[in-house]
Amino acid sequence: MSYAPLELTNKVAVVIGGTSGIGRAIAHAMAESGADVVPTSRRMDQVEAAAIEIEERGRRTLRVTSDVCDRQSLQTLLEQTVAAFGKVDILVNCAGRTKRLPTLDFPEEEWNAIMDTNLTGTLRACQVFGRHMLERKYGRIVNIASLSTFVGLLEVAPYSASKAAVASLTKSLAIEWAPHGVCVNAIAPGVFQTPLNEKLLQDTPRGNEFKLRTPMKRFGKVEELAGAAIFLASDAASFVTGEILVVDGGFLASGVNQ
């Protein structure tokens, strides 16, 4: 068997949460690697802007909103993508939310909302798109885990719990779907400053501690996740499934840094 290159020519990718932050960077990278890309989220203005960016990279796209808390919206997204392009080869699950509060006082309704987006939303998307991929005997699913999949982070217990569960879900789906040509993996980003977390990180003691514990002494740039995403979505990763690929500037390897 010849080596499969790191490119996505003739592939169709759907990036849920693909209109901002990490998802937007991954959508751009996939387009630049040859895929037609559908970046989607809840707001049509953001979908429109992201679609223009894909078209500027010479690839085809659609303008379809979606909400991971609404299964029917995901089904509509799948149906419209298949109607336009004939298939979905790649699904990236980037939709997410977080909130910082002491766990003792965390409102149950907000806990449930974070779980519904980060964990159950990932499950819904995997179910909807996974069925299509299983029928085709081909698919690449890339979920988004976190440093908090592996280590505790102060006062973000629901986010941490949801991301630990995303890793477990990823492994469960990987072993169920591997015999049918569908690889399911996750990326665990280190500290990447995005609109989701910038208030927690920008010039704060928390942000400074993250930098101290990261051997590269900086936050990541969202574009630095592109290589991991393209690898896991490509045929170069045809024997990789159930993997949680960490991109963290050395954070999890870190012990004493000074």
Side-chain angles (χ1 to χ4, degrees):
M1 185 177 77
S2 62
Y3 169 72
L6 284 173
E7 52 87 25
L8 303 176
T9 302
N10 298 321
K11 304 296 186 185
V12 177
V14 171
V15 184
I16 298 176
T19 62
S20 63
I22 288 170
R24 178 169 171 262
I26 290 175
H28 289 175
M30 290 190 169
E32 290 162 4
S33 295
D36 295 319
V37 182
V38 180
T40 179
S41 64
R42 292 180 297 173
R43 292 176 50 184
M44 180 53 79
D45 59 330
Q46 293 184 353
V47 169
E48 175 67 29
I52 289 171
E53 292 169 346
I54 299 301
E55 291 168 340
E56 289 173 345
R57 287 162 170 80
R59 307 310 306 171
R60 298 181 297 168
T61 189
L62 291 177
R63 290 153 171 82
V64 185
T65 59
S66 66
D67 181 351
V68 294
C69 298
D70 178 356
R71 182 178 297 270
Q72 185 54 54
S73 79
L74 298 173
Q75 187 65 43
T76 299
L77 173 64
L78 170 64
E79 291 170 357
Q80 292 194 19
T81 305
V82 172
F85 302 126
K87 61 178 181 173
V88 175
D89 299 294
I90 300 159
L91 170 68
V92 184
N93 283 309
C94 284
R97 62 186 295 174
T98 190
K99 184 169 185 175
R100 181 179 179 181
L101 279 176
T103 306
L104 188 64
D105 300 319
F106 212 100
E108 186 172 333
E109 62 273 17
E110 293 193 41
W111 171 285
N112 291 338
I114 289 171
M115 288 291 182
D116 196 39
T117 296
N118 296 359
L119 175 58
T120 312
T122 296
L123 172 64
R124 290 187 189 101
C126 287
Q127 287 177 325
V128 169
F129 285 83
R131 189 177 301 277
H132 167 74
M133 292 175 175
L134 291 167
E135 290 171 353
R136 294 184 60 236
K137 304 293 184 184
Y138 181 90
R140 300 285 184 267
I141 296 176
V142 181
N143 297 324
I144 301 298
S146 167
L147 288 179
S148 63
T149 298
F150 305 99
V151 297
L153 303 180
L154 183 70
E155 295 182 344
V156 287
Y159 179 82
S160 298
S162 71
K163 290 301 185 177
V166 165
S168 182
L169 174 64
T170 297
K171 293 177 182 181
S172 295
L173 294 179
I175 64 170
E176 289 186 40
W177 296 353
H180 309 288
V182 179
C183 297
V184 187
N185 295 286
I187 297 170
V191 187
F192 290 76
Q193 190 168 309
T194 71
L196 182 68
N197 63 20
E198 62 184 354
K199 290 183 180 179
L200 296 176
L201 298 178
Q202 185 63 45
D203 298 323
T204 65
R206 189 184 190 89
N208 293 337
E209 182 178 351
F210 274 127
K211 287 181 182 179
L212 176 67
R213 296 186 59 182
T214 300
M216 290 190 180
K217 301 302 181 190
R218 63 177 176 85
F219 299 140
K221 302 173 184 177
V222 289
E223 295 79 11
E224 291 176 300
L225 291 166
I230 298 307
F231 168 64
L232 293 176
S234 75
D235 289 336
S238 58
F239 201 57
V240 178
T241 197
E243 178 67 22
I244 313 301
L245 179 54
V246 179
V247 184
D248 71 345
F251 184 98
L252 290 180
S254 175
V256 175
N257 284 282
Q258 58 184 344

